[in-house]
Amino acid sequence: MNSNNNNSIGINSFVKRQIQGSGKTYSILSFEDIKNHAETQLKSNIYKTGYRDGVILIPVHNDLLKYFICPIVKIDKNGNQLWQKAHGKESENNHEWANDLIEVENGDFLVVGARDYYDAYKRNILLLKVDKSGELIWEKEFNAFGAVDEVGYTISSSPLGGYFICASVNSIEEPHRFNPQIIKIDSFGNLDWTRTYNASGMYYHRFGASGLEDGGLIITGSTNYFANPGDLEDALLIRIDYNGNVLWSNSYGSGDHDDWGWDVI
């Protein structure tokens, strides 16, 4: 949605794509109902400044939270929907979303994403375990000491056992610098270890990781750490072993364009 100085709110094309069946967060309220509610909140000065310039966060009243749905959708090989489920804390004014999932041995799923508490740089890594029908088994949050904005982007398994969450994190000391974080967990979501790697990325970058046959990981993302003065951002690859030790790290790109890493296979 867009707002202007007279507290009037418009609905943009991005919001209009968030409908049931799209796989995106949607609401059973009409767009006009959402717009009117947002205008009322804005005129009542019920909003917060976002985590970057130009962003205003308008919270949804608790009575309306139940009408917003972030789905997990299962389809068959022909694209037909088998089921759709949504999970989140209805009792609190926050927002959950999922970025990746993986099927585990018994047909259950581990889902990784984030929970936004609508404070400046206040997002925690969210891990859900759901059964083969999409029903919630448990959930856990991860937040590193001193980190204030953390989003889980990918989850992958290791042939040596366990799972790796790859997240983007910053810190109180350097809120505008984001780095990849790897969290090693067992099948119950218990923490084995966590490490953060230097990338000097930005808030609009993301980091992801893919498991390797030797049990390690290859991490991809974006960086300006290796750039020469005046250069722009580069794509980044970091290879680590099963215990999180760095084996090598390289950046790729040209000095006259932004080059981002998004995924690796």
Side-chain angles (χ1 to χ4, degrees), residues 85-100:
K85 302 290 182 179
H87 303 289
K89 284 187 176 180
E90 294 185 2
S91 61
E92 296 184 22
N93 185 15
N94 50 39
H95 175 204
E96 297 88 2
W97 67 93
N99 288 319
D100 196 17

Side-chain angles (χ1 to χ4, degrees), residues 176-244:
H176 299 293
R177 178 178 301 215
F178 288 78
N179 293 307
Q181 180 187 45
I182 299 297
I183 300 172
K184 171 69 167 47
I185 60 171
D186 63 20
S187 59
F188 299 99
N190 299 314
L191 178 67
D192 288 336
W193 54 259
T194 179
R195 290 195 180 187
T196 301
Y197 304 91
N198 195 0
S200 189
M202 307 298 289
Y203 68 86
Y204 47 80
H205 293 152
R206 59 161 278 166
F207 298 98
S210 296
L212 302 173
E213 292 182 354
D214 63 4
L217 282 177
I218 186 78
I219 304 168
T220 186
S222 306
T223 179
N224 57 23
Y225 180 76
F226 299 99
N228 296 317
D231 288 351
L232 300 178
E233 297 148 9
D234 290 334
L236 174 69
L237 287 177
I238 303 172
R239 182 165 182 173
I240 63 173
D241 64 20
Y242 181 70
N243 296 310

Side-chain angles (χ1 to χ4, degrees), residues 48-153:
K48 294 182 180 180
T49 302
Y51 51 86
R52 63 180 185 270
D53 293 342
V55 174
I56 295 176
L57 303 176
I58 303 176
V60 177
H61 192 277
N62 288 341
D63 293 341
L64 299 182
L65 284 176
K66 60 185 178 182
Y67 298 117
F68 289 83
I69 300 170
C70 180
I72 300 173
V73 181
K74 185 174 182 178
I75 60 176
D76 64 20
K77 63 180 181 180
N78 298 313
N80 300 308
Q81 181 175 308
L82 300 178
W83 49 255
Q84 176 175 279
K85 302 290 182 179
H87 303 289
K89 284 187 176 180
E90 294 185 2
S91 61
E92 296 184 22
N93 185 15
N94 50 39
H95 175 204
E96 297 88 2
W97 67 93
N99 288 319
D100 196 17
L101 59 77
I102 188 171
E103 186 176 10
V104 298
E105 293 81 1
N106 62 354
D108 295 340
F109 298 92
L110 291 175
V111 184
V112 69
R115 172 169 284 143
D116 195 335
Y117 286 92
Y118 293 104
D119 294 321
Y121 293 108
K122 184 56 178 176
R123 296 185 289 183
N124 289 342
I125 299 163
L126 179 64
L127 177 68
L128 308 177
K129 187 170 187 178
V130 301
D131 66 20
K132 61 185 66 177
S133 298
E135 299 297 334
L136 182 67
I137 299 174
W138 49 254
E139 71 161 54
K140 294 191 177 185
E141 288 186 41
F142 298 91
N143 57 310
F145 176 78
V148 289
D149 192 28
E150 303 161 276
V151 176
Y153 283 109

